[in-house]
Amino acid sequence: NKRWYRLHENSVNWYGGKAVKIFIAFDITESKIKDCREKNIHNLLRNIADNAPDMLWSKDMEGRYLFANKAICNNLLMANDTSEPIGKTDVFFAQRQRDLHPDDKNWHTFGEMCESSDIPVLEEQKAMKFEEHGNVKGEFICLEVHKAPLYDVGGNLIGTVGTGRDVTRQRTLENELRTL
C-alpha cells in the first residue's frame, strides 16, 4: 500500500559528540486521498457545468459570483473565462458592455433585473422561477430563470444558485401563434 508522509526536520542535537538531525514523519495518507477525491469531484462538476448549454451560477448574499459556467460567461456576461466573474456582480458586466457602446443605450440592458430577482429567493428562502429579458449585444433575449437559496454545510444561508435558459425563440413563436 502506498502511504504519504509529511517530514518535519527538527533542530540538530549533539549526541555522543556527533550532530544528529531529528526527523518526525506524519502519516497524511487519509488527507491526501480526501484532497484527491475533492479535486476529482470539483473537476467532474466543472466539466459537467461547462458542457451544459444552460447558464449555471451561484452568488453570495451581495450578488457577487461564486461560480459561473461557460454558457453564462459567453452568452450573458461576455466574460473572458469562468474565473473572471468571481467576486463581481451582474451590474459590473452590464456596465462594462454599456461603456464599450456608449452610443447605443440598448446594447446591454441585462443586469439589474437579475440581481433584483435574487431578493425574493433570499427573503423567502425557497426556489423560484422567473422570466427575465433585456438586450445582450444589442439583441433582445428572454431567459427562463430558476433560482434557489444556497446554504453552507452548517445550514446557513450564503447566497443563491441559478440556471438560465434562453427561451427567446420559443416566446417569439408563442406570440406569433397568439396573433393568428
Side-chain angles (χ1 to χ4, degrees), residues 2 71 133 143 172:
K2 274 189 175 178
H133 47 81
L143 299 179
T172 301

Side-chain angles (χ1 to χ4, degrees), residues 135-179:
N135 288 351
V136 175
K137 296 192 285 186
E139 298 291 323
F140 177 81
I141 67 166
C142 181
L143 299 179
E144 182 178 278
V145 175
H146 296 259
K147 292 184 178 183
L150 174 64
Y151 300 95
D152 67 13
V153 292
N156 302 304
L157 180 65
I158 60 169
T160 60
V161 294
T163 66
R165 176 174 291 167
D166 188 338
V167 293
T168 308
R169 181 168 162 68
Q170 179 182 342
R171 294 299 181 263
T172 301
L173 292 172
E174 288 170 357
N175 289 336
E176 286 176 5
L177 284 173
R178 279 189 206 104
T179 61

Side-chain angles (χ1 to χ4, degrees), residues 44-122:
L44 171 68
L45 294 175
R46 170 52 72 188
N47 284 327
I48 290 169
D50 285 343
N51 283 293
D54 289 348
M55 296 175 235
L56 307 172
W57 66 87
S58 65
K59 297 179 189 174
D60 67 15
M61 297 292 284
E62 286 76 42
R64 295 177 300 230
Y65 282 93
L66 300 169
F67 175 86
N69 76 337
K70 284 184 181 181
I72 194 168
C73 289
N74 296 338
N75 302 328
L76 187 66
L77 303 178
M78 308 315 127
N80 296 318
D81 56 46
T82 57
S83 65
E84 185 184 9
I86 308 307
K88 297 179 180 84
T89 65
D90 290 303
V91 175
F92 170 87
F93 291 98
Q95 190 59 53
R96 183 169 74 178
Q97 284 298 307
R98 291 178 197 139
D99 291 345
L100 290 172
H101 300 274
D103 54 321
D104 186 353
K105 65 181 182 177
N106 290 320
W107 179 255
H108 198 99
T109 60
F110 246 95
E112 291 80 1
M113 182 184 289
C114 301
E115 288 191 335
S116 65
S117 65
D118 287 349
I119 295 168
V121 173
L122 293 170

